[in-house]
Amino acid sequence: MQASLLEFKQAVPQIEVVTVERSRTRLAAALRNGVLDVLIVTGNLPLLDNKAMSLWSERVLVALPHDHNLAARDIVYWTDLRGETVLLSHDDAGNELEDLLISKLASREDRPRIERHDVSRGMIKGLISTNTGISLVLESDTIINDADLVYRELRDDAGPSHFAFSAYWRADNENPARAAFLKLLSERYPSPPLGH
């Protein structure tokens, strides 16, 4: 996403790009009210009179203290999380990661202990580095590398787990900046032809 925003800003420097990070509910309301032109979120966001475009997907990783026993592995399986304490934020990503964790480890006995914190994902990383627990993150969360943390891909028998990102916008939004940004996204992340 950072590369797309930078490319757009360079292509159209006269347009002011403002980014917003809020709960999915607040983002959807802002889109519906015309406050925001485009939402880029994970998962499905069923909104009336809106259009959507599939973009990219990111692998789900586990963030570990560097001295954690799972840090020595190249790949960590969901079942390896048994007996761990998983720290998650109350934000939308934390909710989706918890849902994924529960779907991968259906039996309550197999699930790790989940601790919810009303803090940013950055603060969760700080808690991990103090050996308070581990966490689930998306690949893009590793861009800002913390020397105290190790990231490992999470897998099951089907392979790595991914979260898909999509862009959403109002069908009646005629903002030319929105159209230009969506054109850039469609060139950068072309959708496969139907039936593939």
Side-chain angles (χ1 to χ4, degrees):
M1 190 67 231
Q2 287 177 327
S4 297
L5 288 173
L6 178 61
E7 183 178 337
F8 183 70
K9 189 68 178 159
Q10 290 171 342
V12 196
Q14 68 275 21
I15 295 176
E16 181 182 357
V17 176
V18 177
T19 58
V20 176
E21 190 175 42
R22 301 277 185 270
S23 72
R24 186 180 303 244
T25 303
R26 288 181 65 192
L27 289 172
L31 181 68
R32 192 173 39 254
N33 296 332
V35 174
L36 297 177
D37 292 312
V38 178
L39 299 184
I40 297 179
V41 295
T42 58
N44 189 16
L45 190 64
L47 295 169
L48 296 175
D49 299 323
N50 286 301
K51 299 208 174 243
M53 175 191 319
S54 293
L55 298 174
W56 69 87
S57 70
E58 293 183 23
R59 292 178 302 155
V60 178
L61 310 174
V62 59
L64 306 155
H66 72 283
D67 58 351
H68 193 281
N69 63 333
L70 295 175
R73 299 182 185 183
D74 291 330
I75 296 170
V76 175
Y77 291 90
W78 287 97
T79 52
D80 296 332
L81 302 183
R82 289 183 194 125
E84 299 290 340
T85 298
V86 176
L87 310 173
L88 295 174
S89 172
H90 279 290
D91 66 10
D92 286 335
N95 293 333
E96 290 182 50
L97 289 166
E98 182 176 1
D99 291 346
L100 180 62
L101 174 66
I102 290 170
S103 74
K104 296 293 183 182
L105 300 172
S107 169
R108 279 196 175 278
E109 298 80 41
D110 290 340
R111 286 188 209 142
R113 180 173 169 243
I114 298 173
E115 283 186 13
R116 304 295 244 124
H117 295 269
D118 194 12
V119 297
S120 69
R121 289 186 302 235
M123 188 63 151
I124 294 288
K125 288 182 177 184
L127 292 171
I128 296 166
S129 65
T130 63
N131 288 315
T132 308
I134 63 175
S135 191
L136 307 179
V137 299
L138 296 179
E139 210 166 351
S140 60
D141 291 328
T142 67
I143 291 172
I144 300 173
N145 193 9
D146 185 326
D148 292 336
L149 300 184
V150 173
Y151 300 96
R152 296 293 180 251
E153 182 178 77
L154 273 167
R155 288 183 169 240
D156 60 15
D157 292 338
S161 298
H162 290 85
F163 268 41
F165 284 78
S166 297
Y168 293 88
W169 66 95
R170 284 177 42 157
D172 63 352
N173 180 325
E174 296 179 6
N175 182 341
R178 184 223 22 106
F181 184 63
L182 290 173
K183 182 178 184 294
L184 179 139
L185 289 177
S186 69
E187 291 167 356
R188 199 171 243 277
Y189 307 102
S191 296
L194 291 176
H196 287 46

Short mmCIF file of all heavy atoms in Angstrom, two decimals, residues 70-133:
data_model
loop_
_atom_site.label_atom_id
_atom_site.label_comp_id
_atom_site.label_asym_id
_atom_site.label_seq_id
_atom_site.Cartn_x
_atom_site.Cartn_y
_atom_site.Cartn_z
N LEU A 70 9.89 -21.23 19.53
CA LEU A 70 9.40 -21.32 18.16
C LEU A 70 10.20 -20.43 17.20
O LEU A 70 10.12 -20.59 15.99
CB LEU A 70 7.92 -20.93 18.08
CG LEU A 70 6.93 -21.87 18.81
CD1 LEU A 70 5.52 -21.30 18.75
CD2 LEU A 70 6.99 -23.27 18.22
N ALA A 71 10.98 -19.50 17.72
CA ALA A 71 11.77 -18.59 16.88
C ALA A 71 12.87 -19.34 16.11
O ALA A 71 13.33 -18.86 15.08
CB ALA A 71 12.37 -17.48 17.72
N ALA A 72 13.27 -20.49 16.59
CA ALA A 72 14.33 -21.26 15.92
C ALA A 72 13.81 -21.96 14.66
O ALA A 72 14.61 -22.41 13.85
CB ALA A 72 14.90 -22.29 16.89
N ARG A 73 12.50 -22.03 14.48
CA ARG A 73 11.92 -22.71 13.32
C ARG A 73 11.74 -21.73 12.17
O ARG A 73 11.53 -20.54 12.38
CB ARG A 73 10.55 -23.27 13.68
CG ARG A 73 10.59 -24.28 14.79
CD ARG A 73 9.21 -24.80 15.02
NE ARG A 73 9.16 -25.68 16.15
CZ ARG A 73 8.07 -26.33 16.52
NH1 ARG A 73 6.96 -26.16 15.84
NH2 ARG A 73 8.10 -27.12 17.56
N ASP A 74 11.79 -22.25 10.95
CA ASP A 74 11.49 -21.43 9.78
C ASP A 74 9.99 -21.25 9.60
O ASP A 74 9.53 -20.21 9.14
CB ASP A 74 12.08 -22.06 8.51
CG ASP A 74 13.60 -22.00 8.51
OD1 ASP A 74 14.16 -21.07 9.11
OD2 ASP A 74 14.21 -22.89 7.90
N ILE A 75 9.25 -22.30 9.92
CA ILE A 75 7.79 -22.30 9.76
C ILE A 75 7.18 -22.77 11.07
O ILE A 75 7.67 -23.70 11.70
CB ILE A 75 7.36 -23.24 8.62
CG1 ILE A 75 7.92 -22.73 7.28
CG2 ILE A 75 5.84 -23.36 8.55
CD1 ILE A 75 7.75 -23.72 6.15
N VAL A 76 6.08 -22.11 11.44
CA VAL A 76 5.33 -22.49 12.64
C VAL A 76 3.94 -22.93 12.19
O VAL A 76 3.32 -22.28 11.35
CB VAL A 76 5.25 -21.32 13.63
CG1 VAL A 76 4.37 -21.67 14.83
CG2 VAL A 76 6.64 -20.90 14.09
N TYR A 77 3.48 -24.03 12.72
CA TYR A 77 2.15 -24.52 12.41
C TYR A 77 1.17 -24.01 13.46
O TYR A 77 1.54 -23.77 14.62
CB TYR A 77 2.13 -26.06 12.36
CG TYR A 77 2.90 -26.56 11.16
CD1 TYR A 77 4.27 -26.82 11.24
CD2 TYR A 77 2.26 -26.71 9.92
CE1 TYR A 77 4.98 -27.24 10.12
CE2 TYR A 77 2.97 -27.13 8.80
CZ TYR A 77 4.33 -27.38 8.91
OH TYR A 77 5.03 -27.78 7.80
N TRP A 78 -0.08 -23.84 13.04
CA TRP A 78 -1.10 -23.35 13.96
C TRP A 78 -1.15 -24.21 15.22
O TRP A 78 -1.30 -23.68 16.33
CB TRP A 78 -2.47 -23.34 13.26
CG TRP A 78 -2.60 -22.24 12.26
CD1 TRP A 78 -2.40 -22.35 10.91
CD2 TRP A 78 -2.91 -20.89 12.51
NE1 TRP A 78 -2.58 -21.12 10.32
CE2 TRP A 78 -2.91 -20.21 11.28
CE3 TRP A 78 -3.22 -20.17 13.67
CZ2 TRP A 78 -3.19 -18.86 11.17
CZ3 TRP A 78 -3.50 -18.82 13.56
CH2 TRP A 78 -3.49 -18.17 12.32
N THR A 79 -1.00 -25.51 15.06
CA THR A 79 -1.06 -26.40 16.23
C THR A 79 0.09 -26.17 17.19
O THR A 79 0.00 -26.54 18.37
CB THR A 79 -1.07 -27.87 15.76
OG1 THR A 79 0.03 -28.08 14.87
CG2 THR A 79 -2.37 -28.22 15.06
N ASP A 80 1.19 -25.55 16.73
CA ASP A 80 2.32 -25.24 17.62
C ASP A 80 1.98 -24.14 18.62
O ASP A 80 2.74 -23.91 19.57
CB ASP A 80 3.54 -24.79 16.80
CG ASP A 80 4.08 -25.89 15.90
OD1 ASP A 80 3.91 -27.07 16.25
OD2 ASP A 80 4.67 -25.54 14.85
N LEU A 81 0.85 -23.46 18.42
CA LEU A 81 0.48 -22.36 19.31
C LEU A 81 -0.22 -22.83 20.59
O LEU A 81 -0.48 -22.03 21.48
CB LEU A 81 -0.42 -21.36 18.57
CG LEU A 81 0.18 -20.74 17.31
CD1 LEU A 81 -0.78 -19.72 16.71
CD2 LEU A 81 1.53 -20.11 17.58
N ARG A 82 -0.49 -24.14 20.69
CA ARG A 82 -1.10 -24.67 21.91
C ARG A 82 -0.25 -24.29 23.11
O ARG A 82 0.98 -24.39 23.08
CB ARG A 82 -1.20 -26.19 21.86
CG ARG A 82 -2.20 -26.71 20.91
CD ARG A 82 -2.25 -28.24 21.00
NE ARG A 82 -2.97 -28.77 19.88
CZ ARG A 82 -2.51 -29.68 19.04
NH1 ARG A 82 -1.31 -30.18 19.21
NH2 ARG A 82 -3.24 -30.09 18.04
N GLY A 83 -0.90 -23.90 24.18
CA GLY A 83 -0.20 -23.58 25.42
C GLY A 83 0.43 -22.20 25.43
O GLY A 83 1.00 -21.80 26.44
N GLU A 84 0.34 -21.46 24.34
CA GLU A 84 0.91 -20.11 24.28
C GLU A 84 -0.12 -19.07 24.75
O GLU A 84 -1.31 -19.36 24.80
CB GLU A 84 1.35 -19.77 22.85
CG GLU A 84 2.43 -20.66 22.30
CD GLU A 84 3.78 -20.46 22.97
OE1 GLU A 84 4.00 -19.40 23.59
OE2 GLU A 84 4.61 -21.38 22.89
N THR A 85 0.34 -17.88 25.03
CA THR A 85 -0.53 -16.74 25.28
C THR A 85 -0.41 -15.83 24.06
O THR A 85 0.68 -15.36 23.73
CB THR A 85 -0.10 -15.96 26.55
OG1 THR A 85 -0.22 -16.84 27.67
CG2 THR A 85 -0.97 -14.74 26.76
N VAL A 86 -1.54 -15.62 23.37
CA VAL A 86 -1.56 -14.79 22.17
C VAL A 86 -2.15 -13.43 22.55
O VAL A 86 -3.27 -13.34 23.04
CB VAL A 86 -2.38 -15.44 21.04
CG1 VAL A 86 -2.49 -14.53 19.84
CG2 VAL A 86 -1.76 -16.78 20.65
N LEU A 87 -1.36 -12.39 22.31
CA LEU A 87 -1.77 -11.03 22.60
C LEU A 87 -2.36 -10.41 21.34
O LEU A 87 -1.72 -10.40 20.29
CB LEU A 87 -0.55 -10.20 23.05
CG LEU A 87 0.32 -10.81 24.14
CD1 LEU A 87 1.56 -9.97 24.37
CD2 LEU A 87 -0.48 -10.97 25.43
N LEU A 88 -3.58 -9.87 21.45
CA LEU A 88 -4.24 -9.24 20.32
C LEU A 88 -4.79 -7.88 20.72
O LEU A 88 -5.20 -7.68 21.86
CB LEU A 88 -5.38 -10.12 19.79
CG LEU A 88 -4.98 -11.46 19.19
CD1 LEU A 88 -6.22 -12.28 18.85
CD2 LEU A 88 -4.12 -11.27 17.94
N SER A 89 -4.82 -6.99 19.76
CA SER A 89 -5.41 -5.67 19.94
C SER A 89 -6.92 -5.77 19.75
O SER A 89 -7.41 -6.69 19.10
CB SER A 89 -4.79 -4.71 18.92
OG SER A 89 -5.46 -3.48 18.94
N HIS A 90 -7.64 -4.81 20.28
CA HIS A 90 -9.10 -4.77 20.10
C HIS A 90 -9.49 -4.24 18.72
O HIS A 90 -10.67 -4.17 18.41
CB HIS A 90 -9.76 -3.89 21.17
CG HIS A 90 -9.97 -4.59 22.47
ND1 HIS A 90 -10.89 -5.60 22.64
CD2 HIS A 90 -9.36 -4.43 23.66
CE1 HIS A 90 -10.84 -6.02 23.88
NE2 HIS A 90 -9.93 -5.34 24.53
N ASP A 91 -8.52 -3.86 17.87
CA ASP A 91 -8.86 -3.31 16.56
C ASP A 91 -9.42 -4.40 15.65
O ASP A 91 -9.44 -5.59 15.99
CB ASP A 91 -7.67 -2.60 15.92
CG ASP A 91 -6.53 -3.53 15.55
OD1 ASP A 91 -6.69 -4.77 15.61
OD2 ASP A 91 -5.46 -3.02 15.20
N ASP A 92 -9.90 -3.99 14.47
CA ASP A 92 -10.52 -4.94 13.54
C ASP A 92 -9.59 -6.07 13.14
O ASP A 92 -9.99 -7.21 13.02
CB ASP A 92 -11.01 -4.21 12.29
CG ASP A 92 -12.25 -3.38 12.55
OD1 ASP A 92 -12.99 -3.72 13.50
OD2 ASP A 92 -12.49 -2.41 11.82
N ALA A 93 -8.31 -5.74 12.92
CA ALA A 93 -7.35 -6.78 12.53
C ALA A 93 -7.24 -7.82 13.63
O ALA A 93 -7.16 -9.02 13.36
CB ALA A 93 -5.99 -6.17 12.22
N GLY A 94 -7.24 -7.39 14.89
CA GLY A 94 -7.18 -8.32 16.01
C GLY A 94 -8.38 -9.25 16.03
O GLY A 94 -8.25 -10.44 16.29
N ASN A 95 -9.56 -8.70 15.73
CA ASN A 95 -10.77 -9.53 15.68
C ASN A 95 -10.69 -10.56 14.57
O ASN A 95 -11.04 -11.73 14.76
CB ASN A 95 -12.01 -8.65 15.48
CG ASN A 95 -12.29 -7.76 16.67
OD1 ASN A 95 -11.93 -8.07 17.79
ND2 ASN A 95 -12.92 -6.64 16.41
N GLU A 96 -10.23 -10.14 13.40
CA GLU A 96 -10.12 -11.07 12.28
C GLU A 96 -9.07 -12.14 12.54
O GLU A 96 -9.26 -13.30 12.18
CB GLU A 96 -9.79 -10.31 11.00
CG GLU A 96 -10.94 -9.47 10.51
CD GLU A 96 -10.61 -8.75 9.23
OE1 GLU A 96 -10.12 -9.41 8.29
OE2 GLU A 96 -10.84 -7.53 9.17
N LEU A 97 -7.96 -11.76 13.16
CA LEU A 97 -6.92 -12.74 13.47
C LEU A 97 -7.42 -13.74 14.51
O LEU A 97 -7.12 -14.93 14.42
CB LEU A 97 -5.65 -12.03 13.95
CG LEU A 97 -4.91 -11.26 12.86
CD1 LEU A 97 -3.88 -10.33 13.47
CD2 LEU A 97 -4.26 -12.21 11.87
N GLU A 98 -8.20 -13.28 15.47
CA GLU A 98 -8.77 -14.20 16.45
C GLU A 98 -9.74 -15.18 15.78
O GLU A 98 -9.72 -16.37 16.06
CB GLU A 98 -9.49 -13.44 17.56
CG GLU A 98 -10.05 -14.36 18.63
CD GLU A 98 -10.67 -13.63 19.80
OE1 GLU A 98 -10.70 -12.39 19.82
OE2 GLU A 98 -11.14 -14.33 20.73
N ASP A 99 -10.58 -14.67 14.87
CA ASP A 99 -11.50 -15.55 14.14
C ASP A 99 -10.73 -16.60 13.35
O ASP A 99 -11.12 -17.77 13.32
CB ASP A 99 -12.38 -14.73 13.19
CG ASP A 99 -13.40 -13.86 13.92
OD1 ASP A 99 -13.62 -14.07 15.13
OD2 ASP A 99 -13.95 -12.95 13.26
N LEU A 100 -9.64 -16.19 12.71
CA LEU A 100 -8.82 -17.14 11.95
C LEU A 100 -8.21 -18.18 12.88
O LEU A 100 -8.23 -19.38 12.59
CB LEU A 100 -7.72 -16.40 11.18
CG LEU A 100 -6.78 -17.28 10.35
CD1 LEU A 100 -7.54 -18.04 9.27
CD2 LEU A 100 -5.68 -16.43 9.75
N LEU A 101 -7.68 -17.74 14.01
CA LEU A 101 -7.08 -18.66 14.99
C LEU A 101 -8.11 -19.70 15.44
O LEU A 101 -7.82 -20.89 15.47
CB LEU A 101 -6.56 -17.87 16.19
CG LEU A 101 -6.03 -18.67 17.37
CD1 LEU A 101 -4.78 -19.43 16.99
CD2 LEU A 101 -5.74 -17.74 18.54
N ILE A 102 -9.32 -19.26 15.73
CA ILE A 102 -10.38 -20.18 16.17
C ILE A 102 -10.75 -21.15 15.06
O ILE A 102 -10.98 -22.34 15.30
CB ILE A 102 -11.60 -19.39 16.68
CG1 ILE A 102 -11.22 -18.71 18.01
CG2 ILE A 102 -12.82 -20.28 16.85
CD1 ILE A 102 -12.23 -17.70 18.51
N SER A 103 -10.76 -20.67 13.80
CA SER A 103 -11.10 -21.57 12.69
C SER A 103 -10.00 -22.61 12.46
O SER A 103 -10.28 -23.72 12.04
CB SER A 103 -11.35 -20.78 11.41
OG SER A 103 -10.14 -20.30 10.84
N LYS A 104 -8.75 -22.25 12.74
CA LYS A 104 -7.64 -23.19 12.54
C LYS A 104 -7.51 -24.19 13.68
O LYS A 104 -7.04 -25.30 13.49
CB LYS A 104 -6.31 -22.43 12.40
CG LYS A 104 -6.25 -21.53 11.18
CD LYS A 104 -6.25 -22.34 9.90
CE LYS A 104 -6.13 -21.46 8.68
NZ LYS A 104 -6.17 -22.22 7.44
N LEU A 105 -7.91 -23.78 14.87
CA LEU A 105 -7.84 -24.65 16.05
C LEU A 105 -9.24 -24.76 16.65
O LEU A 105 -9.57 -24.07 17.62
CB LEU A 105 -6.84 -24.09 17.07
CG LEU A 105 -5.41 -23.95 16.56
CD1 LEU A 105 -4.54 -23.20 17.55
CD2 LEU A 105 -4.80 -25.31 16.25
N ALA A 106 -10.07 -25.56 16.03
CA ALA A 106 -11.49 -25.63 16.38
C ALA A 106 -11.73 -26.10 17.81
O ALA A 106 -12.64 -25.62 18.48
CB ALA A 106 -12.22 -26.52 15.40
N SER A 107 -10.94 -27.02 18.28
CA SER A 107 -11.13 -27.56 19.64
C SER A 107 -10.60 -26.57 20.68
O SER A 107 -9.48 -26.09 20.57
CB SER A 107 -10.40 -28.90 19.76
OG SER A 107 -10.36 -29.30 21.11
N ARG A 108 -11.41 -26.28 21.68
CA ARG A 108 -10.99 -25.34 22.74
C ARG A 108 -9.71 -25.80 23.43
O ARG A 108 -8.88 -24.98 23.81
CB ARG A 108 -12.09 -25.21 23.80
CG ARG A 108 -13.18 -24.27 23.42
CD ARG A 108 -13.98 -23.92 24.69
NE ARG A 108 -14.97 -22.94 24.42
CZ ARG A 108 -14.74 -21.63 24.36
NH1 ARG A 108 -13.54 -21.18 24.54
NH2 ARG A 108 -15.71 -20.79 24.12
N GLU A 109 -9.54 -27.09 23.56
CA GLU A 109 -8.35 -27.61 24.22
C GLU A 109 -7.08 -27.32 23.41
O GLU A 109 -5.98 -27.26 23.97
CB GLU A 109 -8.46 -29.13 24.45
CG GLU A 109 -9.60 -29.56 25.35
CD GLU A 109 -10.94 -29.59 24.61
OE1 GLU A 109 -11.02 -30.04 23.45
OE2 GLU A 109 -11.92 -29.14 25.23
N ASP A 110 -7.22 -27.18 22.11
CA ASP A 110 -6.06 -26.93 21.24
C ASP A 110 -5.69 -25.45 21.16
O ASP A 110 -4.61 -25.12 20.70
CB ASP A 110 -6.34 -27.42 19.82
CG ASP A 110 -6.40 -28.94 19.74
OD1 ASP A 110 -5.86 -29.59 20.67
OD2 ASP A 110 -6.97 -29.46 18.77
N ARG A 111 -6.60 -24.58 21.56
CA ARG A 111 -6.37 -23.14 21.38
C ARG A 111 -5.44 -22.58 22.45
O ARG A 111 -5.48 -22.98 23.61
CB ARG A 111 -7.69 -22.39 21.47
CG ARG A 111 -8.52 -22.58 20.27
CD ARG A 111 -9.73 -21.66 20.31
NE ARG A 111 -10.79 -22.33 19.57
CZ ARG A 111 -12.05 -22.30 19.90
NH1 ARG A 111 -12.45 -21.64 20.96
NH2 ARG A 111 -12.93 -22.94 19.17
N PRO A 112 -4.64 -21.60 22.05
CA PRO A 112 -3.83 -20.90 23.04
C PRO A 112 -4.73 -19.96 23.86
O PRO A 112 -5.89 -19.72 23.51
CB PRO A 112 -2.85 -20.10 22.19
CG PRO A 112 -3.56 -19.91 20.89
CD PRO A 112 -4.42 -21.12 20.70
N ARG A 113 -4.19 -19.44 24.92
CA ARG A 113 -4.89 -18.44 25.73
C ARG A 113 -4.82 -17.12 24.97
O ARG A 113 -3.75 -16.72 24.51
CB ARG A 113 -4.21 -18.32 27.08
CG ARG A 113 -4.86 -17.32 27.99
CD ARG A 113 -4.22 -17.38 29.38
NE ARG A 113 -4.69 -16.26 30.13
CZ ARG A 113 -3.91 -15.30 30.59
NH1 ARG A 113 -2.61 -15.36 30.42
NH2 ARG A 113 -4.41 -14.30 31.25
N ILE A 114 -5.95 -16.43 24.82
CA ILE A 114 -5.99 -15.16 24.10
C ILE A 114 -6.18 -14.03 25.10
O ILE A 114 -7.11 -14.07 25.91
CB ILE A 114 -7.11 -15.15 23.05
CG1 ILE A 114 -6.86 -16.24 22.01
CG2 ILE A 114 -7.22 -13.77 22.39
CD1 ILE A 114 -7.98 -16.44 21.02
N GLU A 115 -5.30 -13.05 25.02
CA GLU A 115 -5.42 -11.84 25.84
C GLU A 115 -5.69 -10.67 24.92
O GLU A 115 -4.95 -10.43 23.98
CB GLU A 115 -4.12 -11.55 26.61
CG GLU A 115 -3.90 -12.39 27.81
CD GLU A 115 -2.66 -11.95 28.60
OE1 GLU A 115 -2.12 -10.85 28.35
OE2 GLU A 115 -2.24 -12.73 29.47
N ARG A 116 -6.79 -9.94 25.18
CA ARG A 116 -7.15 -8.75 24.39
C ARG A 116 -6.68 -7.52 25.14
O ARG A 116 -6.88 -7.40 26.34
CB ARG A 116 -8.66 -8.66 24.18
CG ARG A 116 -9.28 -9.86 23.56
CD ARG A 116 -8.83 -10.14 22.16
NE ARG A 116 -9.87 -10.03 21.19
CZ ARG A 116 -9.80 -9.23 20.15
NH1 ARG A 116 -8.80 -8.46 19.96
NH2 ARG A 116 -10.74 -9.24 19.25
N HIS A 117 -6.05 -6.61 24.40
CA HIS A 117 -5.56 -5.37 24.97
C HIS A 117 -6.10 -4.20 24.18
O HIS A 117 -6.14 -4.24 22.94
CB HIS A 117 -4.02 -5.34 24.96
CG HIS A 117 -3.41 -6.38 25.83
ND1 HIS A 117 -3.08 -6.16 27.14
CD2 HIS A 117 -3.09 -7.68 25.59
CE1 HIS A 117 -2.57 -7.26 27.67
NE2 HIS A 117 -2.57 -8.20 26.74
N ASP A 118 -6.51 -3.14 24.85
CA ASP A 118 -7.03 -1.95 24.20
C ASP A 118 -5.88 -0.99 23.90
O ASP A 118 -5.81 0.12 24.43
CB ASP A 118 -8.09 -1.29 25.08
CG ASP A 118 -8.90 -0.25 24.32
OD1 ASP A 118 -8.79 -0.20 23.08
OD2 ASP A 118 -9.63 0.52 24.97
N VAL A 119 -4.96 -1.47 23.06
CA VAL A 119 -3.78 -0.70 22.69
C VAL A 119 -3.52 -0.90 21.19
O VAL A 119 -4.13 -1.75 20.56
CB VAL A 119 -2.53 -1.14 23.49
CG1 VAL A 119 -2.71 -0.90 24.99
CG2 VAL A 119 -2.20 -2.62 23.25
N SER A 120 -2.59 -0.12 20.67
CA SER A 120 -2.24 -0.25 19.25
C SER A 120 -1.45 -1.53 19.01
O SER A 120 -0.92 -2.14 19.94
CB SER A 120 -1.40 0.95 18.82
OG SER A 120 -0.14 0.88 19.44
N ARG A 121 -1.34 -1.89 17.73
CA ARG A 121 -0.54 -3.08 17.39
C ARG A 121 0.93 -2.83 17.74
O ARG A 121 1.65 -3.76 18.08
CB ARG A 121 -0.71 -3.42 15.92
CG ARG A 121 -2.09 -3.98 15.63
CD ARG A 121 -2.21 -4.43 14.22
NE ARG A 121 -1.94 -3.36 13.28
CZ ARG A 121 -2.74 -2.97 12.31
NH1 ARG A 121 -3.88 -3.58 12.14
NH2 ARG A 121 -2.41 -2.00 11.50
N GLY A 122 1.38 -1.57 17.67
CA GLY A 122 2.75 -1.25 18.06
C GLY A 122 3.01 -1.56 19.53
O GLY A 122 4.07 -2.06 19.90
N MET A 123 2.02 -1.27 20.37
CA MET A 123 2.16 -1.56 21.80
C MET A 123 2.15 -3.07 22.04
O MET A 123 2.86 -3.55 22.93
CB MET A 123 1.02 -0.89 22.56
CG MET A 123 1.19 -0.97 24.04
SD MET A 123 2.69 -0.08 24.50
CE MET A 123 2.25 0.41 26.12
N ILE A 124 1.39 -3.81 21.25
CA ILE A 124 1.39 -5.27 21.35
C ILE A 124 2.81 -5.79 21.10
O ILE A 124 3.31 -6.66 21.81
CB ILE A 124 0.39 -5.92 20.36
CG1 ILE A 124 -1.05 -5.57 20.72
CG2 ILE A 124 0.59 -7.43 20.27
CD1 ILE A 124 -1.61 -6.22 21.95
N LYS A 125 3.49 -5.22 20.10
CA LYS A 125 4.87 -5.62 19.82
C LYS A 125 5.77 -5.36 21.03
O LYS A 125 6.64 -6.17 21.34
CB LYS A 125 5.41 -4.89 18.59
CG LYS A 125 4.81 -5.37 17.30
CD LYS A 125 5.41 -4.63 16.12
CE LYS A 125 4.87 -5.13 14.81
NZ LYS A 125 5.52 -4.49 13.66
N GLY A 126 5.54 -4.26 21.71
CA GLY A 126 6.31 -3.98 22.92
C GLY A 126 6.07 -5.02 24.00
O GLY A 126 7.00 -5.44 24.69
N LEU A 127 4.82 -5.46 24.14
CA LEU A 127 4.50 -6.49 25.13
C LEU A 127 5.17 -7.82 24.77
O LEU A 127 5.64 -8.55 25.65
CB LEU A 127 2.99 -6.67 25.24
CG LEU A 127 2.21 -5.50 25.86
CD1 LEU A 127 0.71 -5.72 25.71
CD2 LEU A 127 2.60 -5.32 27.31
N ILE A 128 5.22 -8.13 23.48
CA ILE A 128 5.87 -9.38 23.04
C ILE A 128 7.35 -9.35 23.43
O ILE A 128 7.89 -10.34 23.92
CB ILE A 128 5.72 -9.57 21.52
CG1 ILE A 128 4.26 -9.74 21.15
CG2 ILE A 128 6.52 -10.79 21.05
CD1 ILE A 128 4.01 -9.60 19.65
N SER A 129 8.00 -8.21 23.22
CA SER A 129 9.43 -8.13 23.49
C SER A 129 9.75 -8.26 24.98
O SER A 129 10.88 -8.54 25.34
CB SER A 129 10.02 -6.84 22.92
OG SER A 129 9.48 -5.71 23.58
N THR A 130 8.74 -8.11 25.84
CA THR A 130 8.95 -8.31 27.28
C THR A 130 8.57 -9.73 27.70
O THR A 130 8.39 -10.00 28.89
CB THR A 130 8.15 -7.29 28.11
OG1 THR A 130 6.74 -7.50 27.88
CG2 THR A 130 8.53 -5.87 27.78
N ASN A 131 8.42 -10.63 26.71
CA ASN A 131 8.06 -12.03 26.95
C ASN A 131 6.72 -12.20 27.65
O ASN A 131 6.51 -13.14 28.41
CB ASN A 131 9.17 -12.75 27.73
CG ASN A 131 10.37 -13.00 26.86
OD1 ASN A 131 10.25 -13.42 25.72
ND2 ASN A 131 11.55 -12.71 27.40
N THR A 132 5.77 -11.30 27.36
CA THR A 132 4.42 -11.39 27.90
C THR A 132 3.58 -12.38 27.12
O THR A 132 2.61 -12.92 27.62
CB THR A 132 3.75 -10.00 27.89
OG1 THR A 132 4.62 -9.08 28.54
CG2 THR A 132 2.43 -9.99 28.59
N GLY A 133 3.94 -12.60 25.86
CA GLY A 133 3.20 -13.52 25.00
C GLY A 133 3.70 -13.38 23.57
O GLY A 133 4.75 -12.77 23.32
#
